[in-house]
Amino acid sequence: MENECNWEHNTLINELIQGMDVAKRLKEELRTPYSLDTRDLQVQMILSSYEKALRILRCNESTSKSQTITPLTTSLPESPASTNGSPLSEDFDGAIQDHREVKNKSKKRKATPKLMDQIKVSCESGLEGPHEDGYNWRKYGQKDILSAKYPRSYYRCTFRNTQNCWATKQVQRSDEDPTIFDITYRGKHTCSQGNNAIEPYKSQEKQEKPQSHNNNDIQHAHPSQESFTNFSNTLTVKTDNLGNEQTPFPFPSTSFGYTTQENQSWFPSGLENDSFLSSLFQTHLLSPVTPESNYFSSPTFQMNEFDGFYNNPRSESDITEIISTNTSVTNSPIPNFHFPLDSADIDPNFPFNTPGFFS
DNA sequence: CAGATTTGACCGTC
DNA sequence: GACGGTCAAATCTG
C-alpha cells in the first residue's frame, strides 16, 4: 500500500515534470517552423501528462470518498436474487411477465418496475436531447408529470416486437437545469443489441419535437464500433456509488471498451496508465466523424470516478448513475484521456512516435 | 408505404 | 380520485 502510494507520488511528479518539459520544448519549437502535427503531438503529450497526474489525484480522492460515502444500495435489503449473481435477469423475467400481461390485457399497467438505472445526461446547449446510448429506442408516449415542469417521454426498444426485447427508458428533462435529462432505464435488453451483437451501423435520428427542426434530437444507433466512437467522443460520465457487474446500464459494454466484470473500473488496466495512447488512438485512428455525429465530433470522452461503479451490489430499485454529457466541448481541440479503449486493441509497443505516423 | 412520433384515452396503483 | 405508465389511432417523415 505504501509502495503504491510512493509509486503514485513518483508517477505524479514524473507526469508533471514531463508535461512541463514538453511544454518547454514546445515553447522553443514555436519559434521554429515546425509542422503542426509535431506541435499537436506535443500538446497532446502535455495534456496527457497533466491528465495522468489529475487521474492519480482523483483516484486518491475517490478512494477516500468511497470509505466515507455509503452506497445507496447498502441501505436497502438485498434480495435473494441479488445474491445468486443474477439479480437482474430474475427481475427482468418478472418485468417481461408484466409486459406480456399488458399485451394480453390491454393497457394494464405493469407493476412497479424493478429494473431501473437512472442517469443524468446534460446537454449544455439546452437544445439537444438526450444522448445516443447505443440502443434503438422508439417513443411510445409522453406524459406531463405533476411535479415536473417538463413532460416525461417514454421509450421502448425498437426490437420489442421482433426480438421480444422489453427494455424501456424514460426521459425527463430536469426542472432545475433544462440542459440535463434524467433518463431512467428499465429492463434489460434481450435483443441483439443487448447481447452486444455488432450490427451494421445505421444511424437514426429521432426528435422529441420533429416539427421543431432544431437540435432537440435523440440519436439512436446500433452499438457498433462507430457509434461507440461517436458517443465516446462526447460523454462525460460521472458516477458515484454504483456497483454490481450485472446492470441494465444502457451502454453496450464491449463496444465501449469497458467491461462490467467485477473489480474492473472504467479504465482497462492496459490503458489505465497510458491515456496518451488512448487519446492518440482515439483522436487519430478512431475518429470517423460521420454525418450523424455532429454532436459527437469531438474526442472528449471522460469518465470520472467510476471506480466502484460495478463493484457495489445494487438493489434492483436503487441504482443511480450520474452521467453528464457536455456538448459544449464539441469543438474543443483538447482531447480528454479518460476514455478507455480496449487494451487488446493497442499494442503498447506500437511506435506512435514514428515520424509521419500522424501525417 | 413502412416505420416513427404524437397525443388522447385507458387502466392500475396509491 | 390523482397520478403515472401504456396503448393505439392519427399523423408525420423519409
Side-chain angles (χ1 to χ4, degrees), chain A residues 12 24 34 58 133 136 149 155 171 178 192 203 207 247 252 296 319 322 332 343 355 359:
Chain A
L12 182 62
K24 286 177 181 176
Y34 258 76
R58 284 171 179 164
D133 59 16
N136 280 4
K149 189 189 301 181
Y155 297 86
V171 177
S192 58
S203 170
Q207 300 174 325
T247 174
F296 310 118
I319 300 167
I322 310 299
S332 168
S343 58
S359 59

Side-chain angles (χ1 to χ4, degrees), chain A residues 43-256:
Chain A
V43 167
Q44 293 196 24
M45 289 175 69
I46 296 168
L47 293 171
S48 176
S49 293
Y50 287 126
E51 185 65 28
K52 285 181 183 177
L54 285 172
R55 190 186 303 164
I56 291 171
L57 291 172
R58 284 171 179 164
C59 182
N60 290 335
E61 187 182 6
S62 62
T63 299
S64 60
K65 276 183 182 176
S66 66
Q67 295 171 347
T68 57
I69 298 176
T70 302
L72 292 171
T73 53
T74 60
S75 62
L76 294 173
E78 194 172 1
S79 66
S82 64
T83 59
N84 64 12
S86 59
L88 299 179
S89 59
E90 189 160 309
D91 295 339
F92 184 60
D93 289 342
I96 290 176
Q97 194 62 38
D98 278 333
H99 280 285
R100 282 172 181 164
E101 287 176 13
V102 167
K103 203 172 185 178
N104 295 331
K105 198 172 181 179
S106 175
K107 296 182 180 179
K108 180 181 178 181
R109 182 182 173 186
K110 66 175 182 178
T112 304
K114 294 180 176 180
L115 283 175
M116 291 177 59
D117 262 355
Q118 188 172 39
I119 71 175
K120 289 176 186 280
V121 175
S122 80
C123 298
E124 197 163 281
S125 69
L127 295 176
E128 296 176 11
H131 248 276
E132 158 68 34
D133 59 16
Y135 289 106
N136 280 4
W137 298 101
R138 176 173 178 171
K139 189 174 184 177
Y140 66 88
Q142 181 169 308
K143 191 81 175 175
D144 285 324
I145 302 302
L146 193 69
S147 58
K149 189 189 301 181
Y150 302 97
R152 177 178 299 167
S153 297
Y154 299 89
Y155 297 86
R156 63 185 171 213
C157 181
T158 300
F159 307 111
R160 174 173 173 163
N161 295 327
T162 58
Q163 297 183 34
N164 203 32
C165 180
W166 295 91
T168 65
K169 75 171 179 179
Q170 300 175 359
V171 177
Q172 172 80 60
R173 191 185 285 258
S174 170
D175 287 346
E176 297 172 356
D177 187 352
T179 65
I180 293 177
F181 293 85
D182 292 328
I183 304 178
T184 302
Y185 291 88
R186 295 178 174 179
K188 186 177 180 180
H189 282 274
T190 57
C191 58
S192 58
Q193 292 185 325
N195 293 330
N196 297 315
I198 301 301
E199 302 175 19
Y201 181 72
K202 178 186 175 184
S203 170
Q204 297 181 8
E205 292 191 8
K206 301 172 185 176
Q207 300 174 325
E208 279 195 303
K209 302 291 182 183
Q211 287 88 356
S212 63
H213 291 292
N214 58 17
N215 286 332
N216 194 13
D217 293 354
I218 300 175
Q219 295 199 345
H220 306 257
H222 295 266
S224 65
Q225 181 71 24
E226 188 171 7
S227 63
F228 132 70
T229 302
N230 294 334
F231 183 51
S232 69
N233 282 347
T234 59
L235 275 186
T236 297
V237 180
K238 296 177 181 176
T239 306
D240 297 318
N241 302 331
L242 294 165
N244 194 334
E245 67 279 11
Q246 290 236 3
T247 174
F249 185 66
F251 308 131
S253 60
T254 54
S255 58
F256 266 43

